[in-house]
Amino acid sequence: MLQTRTSIEFIYGMAIAFFYLRLPSFIRQLRFLPVAGLGLSLVALVLLWMAPPVSAYSGTRFITAGVPAGFLILGLLLIEVSGKLPVSKILFYFGGISYSLYLVHLLIVKWMVEALPSGFTSDAPFVTLGLITGVSMIVAIAFHHVCERPVMHYSKHLSMRNRDVVIFPH
């Protein structure tokens, strides 16, 4: 059941990306776009704040967390597409390592929750969150530079070398 909900959230994210990538140029230049994006983001934050806590296995997670999170992303994309946001090099870098972070974070969370004393994780949840976030970022940065970038470079080299290869002849 969790895979189904996760798939729905993945498809939801793909729909947002599809919308963002195919946004007509005249819409990108509308003056109200940053205001609409800010409004949608604020509505999403209020919905997330008002939502009852749900577990990853809850049947209502998509409605109480997934939809508002999607609204938040869509709202921030509307602000970004308007060109009214300054470009941050550090945020651009974090965007580059995001796939590595996605790959390693669950392993780090599992390892750290098991490694830390149980009383510590419940008594100091924000410290635990900070530790897990920091360790996850460090491991993701290392993984990005040691594994992901070399593999991407190698695959780009292979695809350039084999671009004239016909896999499915007519």
Side-chain angles (χ1 to χ4, degrees):
M1 188 67 159
L2 179 62
Q3 289 85 7
T4 304
R5 286 189 293 275
T6 305
S7 298
I8 291 170
E9 290 173 359
F10 182 76
I11 291 168
Y12 184 46
M14 287 176 46
I16 291 171
F18 182 83
F19 168 77
Y20 173 74
L21 293 172
R22 287 172 177 65
L23 196 63
S25 61
F26 75 89
I27 290 178
R28 293 174 186 263
Q29 297 172 12
L30 293 174
R31 291 187 185 269
F32 69 86
L33 209 56
V35 175
L38 181 62
L40 190 57
S41 298
L42 290 175
V43 166
L45 289 173
V46 168
L47 290 173
L48 286 168
W49 180 69
M50 291 176 27
V54 294
S55 77
Y57 303 99
S58 169
T60 61
R61 183 184 91 166
F62 177 71
I63 300 299
T64 59
V67 171
F71 284 169
L72 179 63
I73 291 168
L74 184 58
L76 294 173
L77 283 174
L78 289 175
I79 296 169
E80 193 267 338
V81 102
S82 71
K84 303 295 183 195
L85 286 177
V87 176
S88 167
K89 288 183 180 183
I90 190 73
L91 291 179
F92 190 77
Y93 179 76
F94 284 158
I97 67 161
S98 64
Y99 186 65
S100 292
L101 181 60
Y102 167 74
L103 291 176
V104 303
H105 83 281
L106 285 178
L107 297 171
I108 300 301
V109 169
K110 183 178 180 340
W111 173 74
M112 291 204 60
V113 167
E114 289 174 358
L116 293 171
S118 62
F120 180 79
T121 57
S122 60
D123 292 341
F126 293 112
V127 175
T128 303
L129 179 64
L131 283 171
I132 290 173
T133 302
V135 171
S136 294
M137 292 298 289
I138 290 167
V139 172
I141 289 168
F143 186 83
H144 175 73
H145 288 283
V146 173
C147 298
E148 185 182 2
R149 284 182 66 187
V151 168
M152 288 175 62
H153 178 72
Y154 181 69
S155 68
K156 182 185 260 187
H157 175 72
L158 280 179
S159 68
M160 293 300 289
R161 198 173 81 192
N162 296 329
R163 67 179 173 197
D164 295 328
V165 174
V166 178
I167 296 175
F168 298 109
H170 295 270

